């Protein structure tokens, strides 16, 4: 626990230091008004892409999001199906099977990056670069753009203008994601992450056995995989693979990269609404839940597996099945918390082999709706939905019309909030229920008993909340799971984005009321506690019964000695 | 529904599909071709060793990667961790973990078998077996074992190679790496085995 606390302290210190500069970097992009020295370049870029930059109302904005995503889906599907006849394919990978190609296309377009395939034996370099990595950028930019639109909803008064989606995506991609990715990619290469276009190499190892090593342009993809909270690994083992994540430093960089933009956006939000404390309150609420979850996960993993101890295995190291030595339990537990608190889904350890309760923590973090930092953009707009819920509950308690940041919260807003909060539990619980009674669903289980149920619950929690990590024993590359999880991912993304934009449109149209002595302050400790309470309460009430059937039963079985 | 919205806005279809197509095409070229090629170019010029797999060359021939473990099974070598890679152990083109859950009897069975195999291969110290030596890593390509797991194998390797245990201990110490906080002592198995006297 001491080294875990040291790593946690280092991580939180670096992250907190990054919040203000990152927030300031993104603020002009959110406001849509760049500093004057960039305006000539910006005008040229918009012209190059034929984007007029005209303001959109929420319906136009939503339509642009959906159209862009749908087109991305079709392009990525086509690329996977045609990769066999396209260049940059030294291993001569054939066309990806149709069901898997559909699932993967949905997965990357929705910023989920659930992976039903093994990268090194399925995808050509061209598909990785031009397909998967491009959607890593674009789905991330889309999420950030939607968060910008919601910020504008709070910041603007009596306006229909939420900004221009095309200009937002273009600016976020070119001014934010691309430069960050270039720097991170080269830092990762310096640690030993691959970056080449060679075919796989084979040689005779030290004791005479032939070994083949997969190659590829890994670092460039790894960088945006983390920065865009995408999480889809170049290789099957994801960030556990030494060629994706070779050292202590690469592990820390990857963990920081996951939270960098979601954390910075809280500050951007504060600047946009003209009160930085509002952003810090959100950051604090997220941090409290994150740190608590990380300690819980580390505690359970360090306890180890008593059933192995009974066989004569030492337990000081904690539970090491499915973990890498260079990360140990400490570096794996922190990474697992970060990747599921954010909707990243990259893994540096196999979550399926975590202890029962250790595996429940990432599952529950996803089920909270990916709002503890969450995905780039999506984490902030998800958390703001809970903030609206929190002021609504507080308003009910004291009998006042709830307001947030000067905007009156009325029936239409609450309908959209309710919709957003209800969509993912519906997808998760319904999907899990279908899969555990249907024969093709049960056929995918790798582990027997309660753990098998956890595998399915984890899969739907991950898909519907656009995380992408897995209890990877589940054989999910089947027609059944490819279709069902594909649907969960699509609606888990866009059935949230559309009501969020509707909410943004409705808020932008309202007047901004002045703060009075009767207004509830939303930057203090009381509000932070209320916000954390709302998130945890909704998460607990929704998922505790299902969690009791999976990880909780498994934990009791293991520790009762059978 | 989309069409209804568009009519409501009084805009034709190209109003959305046009920019969507231009954006996707333009950004694909920039982010999907130019960006990875530029990073590849810079990496190949500045850091070719790291960018190409940190390969270890001995007598002019590649014998492995400093970052990827190998499947050592002979009694006179230090063993790596068990590997669950696809096809065969330590398959560098088929990474992955076992994904066995903590309550799965299959996990307990395979761990018991590995303990038995370790003890059958030669003398071992008394006491519990270091856990990483009998559990599979996440990637199946873990280049390291814990310091404890290396020390645990000294009696066997010393007996097989007719070496002094103290000399092996010194060799292990010379190859031990630590985590940032002095914890997580570990040994790169390939490099340790390469350093063993013949």
């Amino acid at each position: 626990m001491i080294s875990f606390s040291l790593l946690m302290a280092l991580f939180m210190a670096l992250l907190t230091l990054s919040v203000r500069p990152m927030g300031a970097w993104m603020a002009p992009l959110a406001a849509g008004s760049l500093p004057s020295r960039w305006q000539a370049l910006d005008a040229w870029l918009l012209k190059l892409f034929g984007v007029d930059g005209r303001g959109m109302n929420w319906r136009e904005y939503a339509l642009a999001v959906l159209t862009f995503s749908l087109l991305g889906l079709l392009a990525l599907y086509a690329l996977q199906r045609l990769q066999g006849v396209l260049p940059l394919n030294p291993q001569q990978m054939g066309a990806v099977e149709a069901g898997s190609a559909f699932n993967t296309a949905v997965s990357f377009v929705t910023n989920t990056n659930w992976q039903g395939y093994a990268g090194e034996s399925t995808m050509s370099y061209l598909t990785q670069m031009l397909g998967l990595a491009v959607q890593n950028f674009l789905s991330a930019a889309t999420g950030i753009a939607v968060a910008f639109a919601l910020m504008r909803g709070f910041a603007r008064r009596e306006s229909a203008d939420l900004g221009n989606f095309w200009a937002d995506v273009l600016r976020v991609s070119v001014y934010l994601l691309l430069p960050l990715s270039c720097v991170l990619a080269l830092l990762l290469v310096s640690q030993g992450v691959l970056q080449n276009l060679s075919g796989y190499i084979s040689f005779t190892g030290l004791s005479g056995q032939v070994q083949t090593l997969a190659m590829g342009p890994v670092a460039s993809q790894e960088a945006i995989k983390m920065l865009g909270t995408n999480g889809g690994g170049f290789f099957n083992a994801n960030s556990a693979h030494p060629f994706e994540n070779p050292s202590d430093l690469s592990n820390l960089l990857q963990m920081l990269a996951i939270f960098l933009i979601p954390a910075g956006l809280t500050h951007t939000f504060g600047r946009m609404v003209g009160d930085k404390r509002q952003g810090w309150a959100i950051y604090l609420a997220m941090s409290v839940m994150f740190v608590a979850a990380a300690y819980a996960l580390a505690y359970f993993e360090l306890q180890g597996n008593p059933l192995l101890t009974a066989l004569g295995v030492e337990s000081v190291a904690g539970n090491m099945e499915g973990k890498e030595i260079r990360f140990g339990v400490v570096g794996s537990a922190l990474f697992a918390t970060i990747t599921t608190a954010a909707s990243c889904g990259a893994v540096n350890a196999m979550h399926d082999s975590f202890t029962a309760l250790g595996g429940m923590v990432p599952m529950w973090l996803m089920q909270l709706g990916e709002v503890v930092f969450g995905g780039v953009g999506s984490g902030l707009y998800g958390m703001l939905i809970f903030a609206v819920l929190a002021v609504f509950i507080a308003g009910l308690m004291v009998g006042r019309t709830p307001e947030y940041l000067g905007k009156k919260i009325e029936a239409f807003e609450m309908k959209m909030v309710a919709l957003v909060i209800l969509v993912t539990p519906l997808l998760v619980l319904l999907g899990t229920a279908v899969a555990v009674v249907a024969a093709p669903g049960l056929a995918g289980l790798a582990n027997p008993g309660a753990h098998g149920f956890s595998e399915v619950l984890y899969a739907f929690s991950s898909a519907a909340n656009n995380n992408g990590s897995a209890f990877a024993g589940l054989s999910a590359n089947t027609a059944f799971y490819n279709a069902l999880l594909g649907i969960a991912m699509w609606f888990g993304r866009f059935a949230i984005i559309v009501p969020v934009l509707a909410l943004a449109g409705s808020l932008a149209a309202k007047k901004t009321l002045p703060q009075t002595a009767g207004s509830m302050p939303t930057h203090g400790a009381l509000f932070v506690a209320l916000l954390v309470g709302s998130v945890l309460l909704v998460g607990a009430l929704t998922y505790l019964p299902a969690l009791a059937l999976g990880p909780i039963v498994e934990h009791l079985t293991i520790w009762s000695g059978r | 529904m989309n069409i209804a919205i568009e009519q409501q806005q009084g805009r034709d279809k190209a109003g959305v599909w046009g920019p969507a197509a231009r954006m996707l095409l333009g950004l694909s070229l920039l982010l999907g071709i130019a960006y990875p090629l530029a990073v590849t170019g810079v990496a190949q010029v500045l850091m070719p060793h790291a960018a190409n797999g940190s390969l270890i060359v001995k007598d002019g021939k590649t014998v492995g990667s400093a970052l990827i473990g190998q499947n050592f099974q002979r009694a006179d070598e230090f063993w790596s961790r068990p590997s669950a890679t696809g096809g065969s152990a330590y398959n560098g083109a088929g990474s992955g973990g076992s994904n066995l859950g903590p309550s799965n009897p299959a996990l307990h069975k395979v761990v018991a078998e590995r303990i038995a195999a370790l003890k059958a291969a030669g003398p071992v110290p008394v006491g519990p077996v270091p856990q990483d030596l009998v559990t599979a890593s996440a990637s199946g390509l873990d280049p390291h074992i814990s310091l404890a797991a290396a020390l645990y194998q000294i009696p066997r390797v010393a007996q097989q190679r007719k070496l002094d245990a103290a000399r092996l201990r010194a060799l292990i110490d010379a190859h031990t790496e630590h985590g940032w906080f002095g914890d997580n002592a570990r040994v790169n198995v390939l490099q340790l085995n390469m350093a063993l006297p013949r």
Side-chain angles (χ1 to χ4, degrees):
Chain A
M1 265 308 177
I2 294 171
S3 44
F4 182 77
S5 300
L6 289 171
L7 185 62
M8 174 64 104
L10 176 66
F11 177 80
M12 285 309 291
L14 291 172
L15 182 71
T16 306
L17 283 175
S18 79
V19 169
R20 192 183 289 268
M22 283 302 298
W25 186 349
M26 293 184 284
L29 303 179
S33 57
L34 300 184
S36 52
R37 66 178 179 281
W38 294 102
Q39 276 172 2
L41 171 75
D42 187 57
W44 176 80
L45 189 73
L46 261 60
K47 196 165 166 239
L48 185 69
F49 280 78
V51 171
D52 58 15
R54 181 189 57 81
M56 296 175 165
N57 66 31
W58 80 262
R59 286 191 180 84
E60 293 170 305
Y61 207 98
L63 184 66
V65 171
L66 292 173
T67 310
F68 191 51
S69 302
L70 191 64
L71 203 64
L73 176 82
L74 295 174
L76 182 49
Y77 178 83
L79 186 60
Q80 292 178 76
R81 300 288 288 159
L82 295 173
Q83 69 174 8
V85 296
L86 294 172
L88 280 174
N89 186 9
Q91 295 312 115
Q92 302 179 352
M93 305 287 186
V96 181
E97 184 267 322
S100 174
F102 161 76
N103 182 282
T104 304
V106 173
S107 168
F108 278 73
V109 168
T110 57
N111 200 251
T112 311
N113 298 37
W114 170 268
Q115 292 177 280
Y117 60 91
E120 61 264 55
S121 56
T122 313
M123 298 298 178
S124 77
Y125 294 167
L126 187 72
T127 306
Q128 299 265 24
M129 288 161 47
L130 187 60
L132 305 181
V134 164
Q135 281 305 327
N136 280 355
F137 277 102
L138 299 185
S139 63
T142 299
I144 297 171
V146 172
F148 284 173
L150 182 58
M151 288 181 201
R152 291 167 191 150
F154 281 110
R156 292 178 182 175
R157 50 194 75 170
E158 297 175 88
S159 163
D161 178 4
L162 290 184
N164 184 287
F165 173 71
W166 310 118
D168 287 340
V169 167
L170 194 55
R171 287 172 178 151
V172 168
S173 301
V174 177
Y175 306 148
L176 178 71
L177 298 175
L178 185 58
L180 279 174
S181 297
C182 286
V183 172
L184 182 60
L186 290 174
L187 284 173
L188 290 174
V189 174
S190 77
Q191 295 300 298
V193 178
L194 301 180
Q195 185 68 27
N196 61 57
L197 298 167
S198 328
Y200 296 2
I201 54 173
S202 285
F203 50 80
T204 305
L206 189 63
S207 53
Q209 295 185 16
V210 174
Q211 190 176 39
T212 302
L213 298 181
M215 294 280 123
V218 180
S220 54
Q221 188 156 337
E222 194 72 15
I224 186 60
K225 160 191 155 189
M226 296 304 177
L227 290 164
T229 61
N230 296 283
F234 199 94
F235 301 118
N236 186 45
N238 209 297
S239 280
H241 197 299
F243 279 159
E244 284 199 23
N245 190 3
S247 68
D248 292 82
L249 181 59
S250 67
N251 201 45
L252 181 71
L253 288 172
Q254 296 197 0
M255 293 192 291
L256 279 170
I258 295 173
F259 272 4
L260 195 63
I261 292 174
L265 278 172
T266 62
H267 190 63
T268 307
F269 170 69
R271 283 170 173 252
M272 279 289 281
V273 299
D275 181 359
K276 290 176 191 163
R277 296 172 305 177
Q278 303 290 343
W280 287 111
I282 303 276
Y283 178 72
L284 188 61
M286 289 172 166
S287 299
V288 166
M289 286 187 276
F290 163 67
V291 172
Y295 269 95
L297 206 164
Y299 172 78
F300 292 124
E301 287 306 300
L302 283 167
Q303 273 198 325
N305 183 345
L307 299 180
L308 295 190
T309 314
L311 295 172
V313 175
E314 62 80 26
S315 57
V316 188
N319 172 30
M320 284 304 292
E321 177 71 29
K323 292 194 181 65
E324 300 283 297
I325 293 286
R326 64 191 177 284
F327 309 135
V329 165
V330 165
S332 304
L334 188 59
F335 194 108
T337 314
I338 291 166
T339 196
T340 50
S343 73
C344 182
V347 295
N348 77 350
M350 293 299 140
H351 294 189
D352 211 350
S353 298
F354 278 10
T355 60
L357 293 185
M360 186 175 80
V361 173
M363 203 179 326
W364 200 47
L365 280 168
M366 297 188 297
Q367 290 166 344
L368 291 180
E370 295 296 17
V371 296
V372 182
F373 294 101
V376 288
S378 60
L380 184 70
Y381 64 66
M383 194 55 152
L384 291 177
I385 291 289
F386 275 104
V388 173
L389 179 70
V391 294
F392 177 72
I393 294 172
L396 285 184
M397 287 194 285
V398 296
R400 280 183 58 93
T401 310
E403 299 165 12
Y404 185 46
L405 306 168
K407 297 285 187 182
K408 236 184 222 175
I409 305 301
E410 293 168 299
F412 179 78
E413 286 75 41
M414 286 319 296
K415 278 182 200 162
M416 294 303 114
V417 166
L419 203 59
V420 169
I421 289 176
L422 290 175
V423 165
T424 46
L426 194 73
L427 292 169
V428 172
L429 296 174
L430 219 60
T432 305
V434 169
V436 294
V437 293
L442 290 170
L445 304 191
N447 286 285
H451 196 85
F453 176 79
S454 299
E455 286 181 336
V456 177
L457 182 62
Y458 195 104
F460 282 94
S461 302
S462 173
N465 289 290
N466 298 148
N467 182 276
S469 68
F471 272 14
L474 185 74
S475 300
N477 195 357
T478 61
F480 177 84
Y481 279 113
N482 277 333
L484 220 55
L485 293 170
I487 292 167
M489 289 188 278
W490 187 263
F491 286 99
R493 177 78 165 176
F494 297 109
I496 303 281
I497 283 184
V498 173
V500 164
L501 288 172
L503 176 70
S506 165
L507 290 172
K510 286 173 192 275
K511 291 193 184 107
T512 301
L513 306 171
Q515 294 280 310
T516 66
S519 315
M520 188 180 78
T522 51
H523 57 260
L526 179 68
F527 179 72
V528 169
L530 196 63
L531 180 54
V532 170
S534 306
V535 172
L536 295 184
L537 196 68
V538 171
L541 289 177
T542 315
Y543 288 106
L544 219 51
L547 291 170
L549 293 175
I552 295 174
V553 164
E554 189 186 16
H555 175 78
L556 297 175
T557 325
I558 290 174
W559 286 88
S560 70
R562 273 247 54 88
Chain B
M1 189 189 79
N2 290 354
I3 294 168
I5 291 171
E6 278 167 39
Q7 283 168 345
Q8 187 183 332
Q9 302 303 322
R11 308 175 66 204
D12 62 347
K13 272 201 161 180
V16 186
W17 290 100
R22 284 197 300 276
M23 291 277 292
L24 185 62
L25 191 69
L27 287 174
S28 292
L29 291 176
L30 176 66
L31 306 170
I33 302 284
Y35 158 66
L37 292 185
V39 174
T40 307
V42 174
Q44 288 292 334
V45 171
L46 296 182
M47 302 171 274
H49 176 70
N52 292 320
S54 308
L55 299 177
I56 299 176
V57 177
K58 191 179 154 196
D59 306 330
K61 280 198 280 189
T62 302
V63 293
S65 162
L67 299 177
I68 303 286
Q70 294 187 6
N71 188 22
F72 296 108
Q73 289 179 315
R74 293 203 318 253
D76 66 345
E77 301 166 321
F78 285 91
W79 292 2
S80 302
R81 298 183 65 190
S83 161
T85 52
S88 57
Y90 285 90
N91 174 7
S95 63
S98 74
N99 285 311
L100 294 172
S103 62
N104 193 332
L107 173 68
H108 315 143
K109 180 162 169 277
V110 73
V111 168
E113 286 167 4
R114 288 166 184 158
I115 295 172
L118 257 179
K119 292 185 172 167
V124 295
V126 287
V129 181
Q131 197 191 143
D132 55 301
L133 215 42
V134 291
T135 50
S137 63
S139 65
L141 302 170
D142 198 338
H144 296 109
I145 53 177
S146 66
L147 175 60
L151 300 179
Y152 191 80
Q153 300 186 66
I154 286 183
R156 186 191 75 232
V157 177
Q159 184 195 50
Q160 289 284 329
R161 298 218 170 208
K162 305 194 169 42
L163 284 171
D164 187 22
R167 188 165 170 207
L168 281 177
R169 171 74 213 226
L171 206 56
I172 288 171
D173 285 341
H175 283 84
T176 302
E177 309 158 28
H178 290 276
W180 284 344
F181 309 112
D183 59 334
N184 202 11
R186 55 194 186 255
V187 180
N188 183 307
V189 190
L190 173 60
Q191 289 175 343
L192 176 63
N193 280 332
M194 282 181 73
L196 284 176
R198 294 178 183 259

